[in-house]
Amino acid sequence: MIAAAQKISNACSNSSVLVKGGHLELKISDILAARDAGLVPTDRLHWYHQCGPDEPEILRIARTSSIEEHTNDRVVADILWTGGKGHLFIRPLVESCSTHGTGCTLAAAIACELAKGAPVEMAVEIAANYTNQAIATAVPMGRGHGPLNHLHASLTRILPVPTITCPAPFVSTLIRSTKDLWKDYVQHEFVIQLGKGVLPQANFVHFIKQDYHYLKHYARAYGLLAAKSSTFSALESCARTIAHIVRETKMHAAYCQTFGVTENELLSTPESAALSGYTTYILEAGLRGDDLTLLVAVLACLLGYGEVGLWLKRNALTPESGFYVEGNPYEKWINDYSGNDYQTAVRIGIDTLEARILRDPPSTVKYSELLQVWERVVKLEIAFWDMAMSLS
């Protein structure tokens, strides 16, 4: 496809050429192989936000129920040759019969973006994403291949509606809004050393002592969230989360005993500045804001630890990575956070937040506020790992 796009461009006085690849099923591994072969460099790979090797584990498992290598995921790719360079626009494969007229839709959308003054690469990316959403949100009609949902963008939305390929658009947006910070959080040096079994025991014990106190404040935050909730389903979600936290504290206490830390020592350990600053912010955000503000504030912890558990588990599938679970001194911790009980809590958290957003979409001002709250709590989570590493 890349060679064909280049050949056509050369034959047409170096015009920009787009070769549409909707009927060619590829895997992410095929795209990465093209990158490694030097056919298309990394900076010209345009991944749709809900696919690619950097897709968060918690979002991928919500979409596929699998922690297998991302490289097995099926994708489609369009090839743009312009200015003597090739660009790949990659997005997840949507299993749908609502694909009649995709080429015309894509061409028309590109023409619209070019008419608005967008550079050709941006025009193709916007148009490809528009067409992908038009397929994903289409309602099947009749037999055979039906039409796309061309009207999906006619209603101005801050966030797209959930689809099969993107079942959690708000959580996905939150993570993408803090892409670098999120990576610093879930792939922190503490996490890496823990996953490779080389984290000093003193650092882990210091962390788990502080985390024991954190869980107490975290349960209080969910109690406040319950008080601010207006539906039985939301109340049930809070109650189940608090019950999970109580079980988690018992797990912490039992786990600490294996490292020679008694429950009395846990209870008498002073709270660190990082812990106090974090929990004070969460409770203050809940007191001054509504249930949505508080829900965003508490979910950074729930989702982040779920991501860490799955990330460690998946990396352990590749022996040369240096990560391992069986025989790791922190094996139980990894299994707890990658296990079904905790991941069920993660899915409940994601579903609760997405349902809340869908029921009452935020205004532009409220959306901006939520992004700021999310960024703040992600930074506070990083500071919590830093505290563990510095024994402060």
Side-chain angles (χ1 to χ4, degrees), residues 97-354:
C97 290
S98 301
T99 54
H100 184 66
T102 52
C104 296
T105 299
L106 179 60
I110 293 172
C112 290
E113 291 302 320
L114 291 174
K116 289 158 61 177
V120 65
E121 297 95 336
M122 182 182 295
V124 171
E125 183 165 18
I126 293 172
N129 291 344
Y130 165 81
T131 305
N132 182 264
Q133 280 293 102
I135 297 171
T137 60
V139 177
M141 295 184 184
R143 304 177 191 175
H145 293 281
L148 287 66
N149 175 19
H150 296 96
L151 300 179
H152 74 86
S154 61
L155 178 62
T156 301
R157 293 187 182 93
I158 296 176
L159 294 163
V161 296
T163 63
I164 294 174
T165 56
C166 186
F170 183 50
V171 172
S172 178
T173 300
L174 289 175
I175 293 174
R176 283 187 293 116
S177 73
T178 54
K179 182 179 178 181
D180 293 336
L181 284 172
W182 177 260
K183 185 174 181 180
D184 290 342
Y185 166 27
V186 299
Q187 297 179 27
H188 193 278
E189 184 62 25
F190 180 95
V191 175
I192 293 172
Q193 289 190 23
L194 184 148
K196 293 183 176 181
V198 297
L199 180 70
Q201 183 175 312
N203 296 94
F204 184 78
V205 169
H206 182 59
F207 156 75
I208 206 166
K209 284 181 179 179
Q210 294 299 316
D211 201 38
Y212 182 83
H213 288 293
Y214 171 82
L215 290 173
K216 174 180 62 181
H217 298 293
Y218 195 57
R220 292 173 59 209
Y222 268 95
L224 179 58
L225 182 59
K228 288 176 172 286
S229 298
S230 57
T231 65
F232 281 112
S233 60
L235 288 168
E236 180 186 16
S237 175
C238 291
R240 292 177 67 177
T241 302
I242 292 172
H244 176 84
I245 294 170
V246 171
R247 291 195 299 273
E248 194 176 353
T249 57
K250 293 179 180 178
M251 175 191 79
H252 271 50
Y255 197 33
C256 281
Q257 289 180 1
T258 66
F259 291 96
V261 180
T262 65
E263 187 169 359
N264 286 336
E265 188 177 350
L266 269 179
L267 294 172
S268 61
T269 298
E271 295 186 5
S272 68
L275 168 62
S276 297
Y278 187 9
T279 55
T280 298
Y281 176 77
I282 289 178
L283 291 170
E284 190 269 337
L287 289 170
R288 65 176 169 78
D290 60 2
D291 63 313
L292 183 54
T293 301
L294 181 53
L295 191 55
V296 169
V298 296
L299 278 183
C301 174
L302 178 69
L303 303 188
Y305 278 60
E307 176 72 11
V308 165
L310 293 177
W311 185 75
L312 292 175
K313 199 74 173 279
R314 184 173 66 82
N315 274 282
L317 298 175
T318 308
E320 57 268 25
S321 68
F323 291 84
Y324 66 103
V325 177
E326 188 175 355
N328 189 310
Y330 309 111
E331 177 180 355
K332 186 178 185 306
W333 192 92
I334 297 171
N335 285 333
D336 284 336
Y337 286 104
S338 63
N340 184 66
D341 191 31
Y342 193 85
Q343 291 301 322
T344 296
V346 170
R347 288 193 291 275
I348 291 171
I350 292 176
D351 292 345
T352 300
L353 181 56
E354 295 293 342

